[in-house]
Amino acid sequence: MRLPDDSETPFQINIVPMIDAIFAILAFFIISTLYLTRSEGLPVNLPTATTAESQLQDRIITITIQENRAIFINREPIELSQLEARVESLVTANSQVLVIINADENVPHGRVVSVMDRLRLVEGIRLAIATQ
């Protein structure tokens, strides 16, 4: 009796599914890094400045002034009269805190100055104005 010859087919490793998986992981990491940028304030149209410098500080408090004159401290709405007390509660003793003012470019200059005037009454903070 004659048995048919089983021609052994060589084993192959199909790398196409592995390439698909690697590209899926790569796409995940690329998309997730887009969300790593940290925006402290609310989105506003910041004015541009050619002499702007980046400020590095451990403790940062962000104050946002929107176009409709609404004030936010670290994304929480607040009234101008309560601003000084709230910032004082966030500042710890013997620490330097940087307060960044994100004011929309259409906010009246007087509103920004009144916010800065309130903040200058708080001891132990430095003021900065955000620009693009």
Side-chain angles (χ1 to χ4, degrees):
M1 173 178 188
R2 184 168 181 203
L3 296 173
D5 283 338
D6 286 332
S7 62
E8 290 187 26
T9 57
F11 291 107
Q12 298 177 358
I13 297 176
N14 191 357
I15 63 168
V16 174
M18 184 174 62
I19 292 173
D20 290 342
I22 289 175
F23 276 125
I25 293 171
L26 181 65
F28 170 76
F29 283 118
I30 289 173
I31 291 171
S32 64
T33 56
L34 295 175
Y35 294 104
L36 290 179
T37 58
R38 196 170 158 198
S39 175
E40 295 291 332
L42 295 171
V44 291
N45 294 326
L46 295 174
T48 58
T50 57
T51 59
E53 296 178 6
S54 178
Q55 300 288 322
L56 299 176
Q57 186 87 14
D58 290 338
R59 299 254 314 140
I60 294 177
I61 298 172
T62 304
I63 298 189
T64 305
I65 307 172
Q66 290 184 331
E67 189 175 7
N68 62 358
R69 296 182 172 200
I71 300 174
F72 295 84
I73 184 166
N74 292 338
R75 296 182 177 253
E76 296 175 11
I78 193 167
E79 294 296 322
L80 181 61
S81 59
Q82 302 168 346
L83 183 64
E84 181 184 349
R86 179 74 174 117
V87 172
E88 281 180 348
S89 69
L90 293 175
V91 174
T92 59
N94 299 328
S95 69
Q96 279 284 31
V97 177
L98 180 65
V99 177
I100 300 175
I101 299 175
N102 288 331
D104 190 282
E105 64 183 348
N106 295 325
V107 171
H109 183 68
R111 184 68 166 178
V112 177
V113 170
S114 63
V115 168
M116 290 175 66
D117 190 42
R118 295 285 177 128
L119 292 173
R120 289 191 59 187
L121 298 173
V122 179
E123 301 260 340
I125 65 167
R126 292 181 17 207
L127 287 177
I129 297 178
T131 60
Q132 282 184 344

